Amino acid sequence: MQQISDKATSAIREIFGTDKALIGMIHCPPFPGAPRYRSAAMETIYDTCMRDADALVKGGIHGLIVENHGDIPFSKPEDIGHETAAFMSVVTDRIARAAGVPLGINVLANAPIPAFAIAAAGGARFIRVNQWANAYVANEGFMEGRAAEAMRYRSALRAEHIKVFADSHVKHGAHAITADRTIDELTRDLAFFDADVVIATGQRTGNSATMEEIEEIGAATHLPLLVGSGVTKENIVEILKRTNGVIVASSLKEGGVWWNPVEPARVAAFVEAAKPGLEA
């Protein structure tokens, strides 16, 4: 495979100090300005995020992503209010000070510029971007990759240390407008546009990519590969055989439902189940 990026080191090892990482999600409750916000006190929102972060870290998770998942329905990048970045920066700073593990930021939907700002303000090490290159039709409508403007913004912040984790064939959307290009080609475009890590996902939150798709994406890139949805204690070892780690959320929540609190017993069982894959 021809290398089309100058990335020489693994961002997973650089950030987490290991070749295979378990990354948990902080699904923030709705922030002020979002349709589902119901006048909860900000300290209540922050405490909810801190509680989940504490449960994940104490259970053995290597890192966390802070995400505005409660802000459903998500706005397109140009419609996201400044308040979202402000509130997420406070959450990120508080978790960073308390958790002692690397943090990432994902601003939905597909908003790398506020994500870079939050990461720089709150001390996060990476951002996640669902559509980094090319385009697709998402739940929110037509969604373009924003790599060019985002990387120029990162340069303006002098924040080159903040890495980019980018989805390939992202969930919650249709890819008909790029149907004449293979997953191999779309994955290679992520490296060409200077992503640091590639993420494989299923069709929607909580659904896993197939092992065949994981292998197809992995074969298309020299970058580290994560699986970003549908990861459970039952499939974690098989996934870790093919990847450099996972982003896990729903299966660690009470009842396996993403909007519920993190359940410490589920975290402990998941980390224990992952050990053979981490040690391989």
Side-chain angles (χ1 to χ4, degrees):
M1 176 176 55
Q2 180 186 8
Q3 185 162 319
I4 53 177
S5 166
D6 63 356
K7 307 294 183 185
T9 60
S10 167
I12 297 299
R13 172 154 288 280
E14 180 181 339
I15 293 170
F16 300 99
T18 181
D19 291 322
K20 294 181 184 286
L22 308 178
I23 305 169
M25 293 295 303
I26 306 300
H27 285 148
C28 299
F31 289 119
R36 296 187 184 185
Y37 177 66
R38 296 293 183 266
S39 301
M42 290 313 303
E43 285 302 319
T44 300
I45 293 175
Y46 297 149
D47 287 348
T48 297
C49 298
M50 293 292 291
R51 176 202 62 211
D52 280 356
D54 183 66
L56 290 165
V57 172
K58 284 183 176 177
I61 295 295
H62 300 130
L64 305 170
I65 297 177
V66 179
E67 182 180 84
N68 61 322
H69 207 357
D71 287 352
I72 295 171
F74 306 121
S75 295
K76 297 180 75 171
E78 59 271 20
D79 298 325
I80 294 172
H82 301 301
E83 68 279 359
T84 300
F87 295 131
M88 289 185 71
S89 293
V90 174
V91 170
T92 302
D93 177 71
R94 293 193 181 194
I95 293 174
R97 292 173 184 273
V101 299
L103 302 184
I105 304 296
N106 190 19
V107 181
L108 299 168
N110 205 56
I113 288 177
F116 273 133
I118 296 161
R125 299 289 305 278
F126 64 97
I127 68 169
R128 179 181 181 179
V129 187
N130 302 116
Q131 189 71 24
W132 184 241
N134 296 293
Y136 79 124
V137 180
N139 295 156
E140 299 78 25
F142 184 73
M143 197 71 73
E144 293 184 84
R146 307 177 73 91
E149 59 182 322
M151 293 302 260
R152 284 163 175 79
Y153 183 70
R154 186 179 75 169
S155 294
L157 293 180
R158 300 295 187 265
E160 288 82 1
H161 62 284
I162 299 173
K163 306 299 185 182
V164 175
F165 290 22
D167 289 33
S168 177
H169 211 241
V170 63
K171 61 190 175 184
H172 289 290
H175 300 268
I177 56 177
T178 55
D180 60 336
R181 305 190 66 236
T182 65
I183 291 178
D184 179 291
E185 291 173 324
L186 297 174
T187 302
R188 286 161 59 81
D189 288 343
L190 300 177
F192 188 59
F193 274 11
D194 283 342
D196 298 282
V197 173
V198 174
I199 303 170
T201 72
Q203 291 300 309
R204 59 189 307 108
T205 298
N207 292 156
S208 177
T210 66
M211 296 301 167
E212 291 76 17
E213 184 170 355
I214 293 168
E215 291 172 355
E216 183 178 6
I217 292 172
T221 184
H222 65 284
L223 297 177
L225 175 64
L226 302 176
V227 168
S229 66
V231 182
T232 68
K233 66 180 182 180
E234 287 76 24
N235 64 16
I236 180 62
V237 171
E238 287 302 310
I239 288 174
L240 288 175
K241 288 178 181 178
R242 297 163 170 83
T243 68
N244 299 95
V246 297
I247 300 168
V248 57
S250 300
S251 68
L252 305 185
K253 303 293 191 74
E254 293 178 2
V257 179
W258 71 262
W259 58 77
N260 283 341
V262 171
E263 185 175 326
R266 283 178 173 259
V267 181
F270 177 82
V271 172
E272 183 64 27
K275 285 181 179 178
L278 295 171
E279 296 165 356

